[in-house]
Amino acid sequence: MSLKDICKVINFKDFGDERGKLVVVEGDQSIPFKIERVFYIYDSDSEVVRGQHANRESEFVLINVAGKSKVRITDGSEELIINLDKPMMGVYIPKMIWKDMYDFSKDSVLLVLASTHYDSSEYIRNYDEYLKLISEKGNKQ
Ligand code: TYD
């Protein structure tokens, strides 16, 4: 399966009317996991690269609820860049995918929905270690 099929872009239902817009995201419905944690990233300037890790256990959905950013994702062989530039779209990132978020606009508010509570020990922050783990996993299959 290609990375595009694994890390799906999700278009949320947008309840717009003359009063404005409203977007709903429901765990286990519009996204494929129960939401255990929410955090958001703002005030990162355009030179900054965040993320730079993969997670052994956590799945995420990233939504730029204001402004814009980009996320580069890779599984160690394929790479995909997704423009997060609409509050009604998100990208699903499963376990063991490496991600870098960058190109933040001044007004960017990047909302992250996560399937787990925070546990720093499930983060893989070294890219060489990530590649090693991925290849070990591939060899086992
Ligand atoms: P970090 O993982 O470096 O952020 P990013 O993925 O955006 O580059 O996290 C920054 C700091 O915040 C770090 O000290 C850990 C802390 N943190 C939590 O305590 N809980 C969380 O859920 C997250 C995502 C980070």
Side-chain angles (χ1 to χ4, degrees), residues 126-137:
N126 178 299
Y127 191 63
D128 290 335
E129 185 193 346
Y130 169 71
L131 291 178
K132 195 162 158 257
L133 288 166
I134 285 287
S135 80
E136 284 167 6
K137 197 170 151 244

Side-chain angles (χ1 to χ4, degrees), residues 11 23 25 27 30 38 43-45 47 63 90 110 129 134 136:
N11 292 300
V23 178
V25 181
S30 44
V38 174
D43 233 0
S44 282
D45 75 40
E47 305 303 309
I63 306 166
L110 176 58
E129 185 193 346
I134 285 287
E136 284 167 6

Side-chain angles (χ1 to χ4, degrees), residues 55-66:
N55 294 74
R56 287 185 172 83
E57 300 300 334
S58 300
E59 300 165 68
F60 299 97
V61 167
L62 273 53
I63 306 166
N64 250 101
V65 291

Side-chain angles (χ1 to χ4, degrees), residues 80-99:
L80 207 62
I81 293 173
I82 293 153
N83 290 313
L84 298 167
D85 57 2
K86 292 178 209 74
M88 71 287 276
M89 68 88 78
V91 61
Y92 167 64
I93 303 180
K95 299 171 192 182
M96 290 304 282
I97 297 287
W98 189 270
K99 48 208 164 290

